[in-house]
Amino acid sequence: MRSPMAARQKPTVTVIVPTFNREKFLPEAIDSLLRQTVAPDQILIVDDGSTDGTGTVASSFPAPVEYYRKENGGKSTALNFALKHCKGDFVWIFDDDDVAHPTALERFLAAFEREPEADFAFGEYARFQRSAQIEEQNYEIVAFGHVSQDNFFPSHLEYCHVHQPGLLVRRECYEEVGGFNETLVRSQDYEMMLRLARRFKGVRVDGLMFFQRQHDMVRGSTKVVISYANRIKAWGSYDRAIMEEIYRSVDLHEYLDRSEQALPRTADLEMQALLQRSSIMARKGLWHHAAEDIRRYALLAERAGKTSLSDKERAIVRRTFEAYDTGLSSAPADEFVSAVKAWKSGPLKADIVREYMHSFPHYLARDLKAGKVIPASKLLREYSTLSFSALVSRLCQAMTSKLPSARSAS
């Protein structure tokens, strides 16, 4: 319980900037923190054993910047090192290649003044490649309007919408959940955010909090080097490891929004939670879990005489294949496809398949318009796999036979 006296005192903020071989981008990141309309009280730069000129650049900044150097061990080790040196009431972890919005910290703290019981504040961001794009307002805003403090945990199980530079957290929260997982070379911020979201209350902040730089430099550590081309594959691999642990340790009702968790547990809510978890596991490529949950959903739905999806369930199912490259056409997905095929024919089966398929025509049209024949061919095959209609399947097979396969095109 926070004391009223502590609540009235001016809060202090520590910014943590872990860095590794970023002499090119670090100055702009630190300058954006020093130019905040409300200045941070402490900025900790932790150099994770850089081999370029990062150390020279980092040590040149004035107070409140503090520079530390350690042996390379990965981002998680740098963050855990910094957390031991934090003095602020709040912690803002900022990436060494991004740029903070000038009013970000001011708006973060204002959100806590409005909702003093909140444990963390979060906001949106924009992507850019050239620094001039920020000044020109020529950037891509990454909006996530559906994410709220009520659904923060399940929505982030689906996808990591919020990133650390868009998150201000009470230091005591980090102390309570423990340090960053040092076995994770990537997705360590995602895993930490899920721990925070599961336990604590967040408050949303309007507007952009930071600008995320898109670049092709390597990620990881000296022991695990991740190239730009392999970054998505690496994220997927670490995300699956995180989700395997989530599946084992998180109760089914926690996949519901917080307001729904407070309601009496009913068969309808259990079915919704199963559908939500199945969708999450499918998005991560954990098809065996997705299949098991969709089978359990079908059994409960049959017992309840359910004939159609609720609006909430429809939205969950529709988001399952927002990104069509989830490996649906791979062998591990066969169990999931078989689980849906095993349903008795009827209006509920037709409803759920229709929603699974919702996003596919958009991606097909996009790929064909861009001249991406191979992705379009793959998508058609996935479409025919999920449609479960013999007529549509034959049509898609005929169309895909006219398109080159990935093997013949290579």
Side-chain angles (χ1 to χ4, degrees), residues 22 68 96 104 131 168 329 354 357:
R22 289 288 187 267
Y68 297 89
D96 57 4
S131 297
L168 185 67
S329 60
R354 182 170 55 250
M357 302 298 297

Side-chain angles (χ1 to χ4, degrees), residues 387-403:
S387 68
F388 312 116
S389 163
L391 179 61
V392 175
S393 181
R394 286 196 298 271
L395 175 62
C396 289
Q397 288 171 3
M399 293 175 68
T400 55
S401 68
K402 305 297 183 182
L403 296 172

Side-chain angles (χ1 to χ4, degrees), residues 1-9:
M1 178 78 68
R2 301 179 198 101
S3 69
M5 180 69 72
R8 289 196 298 269
Q9 292 175 347

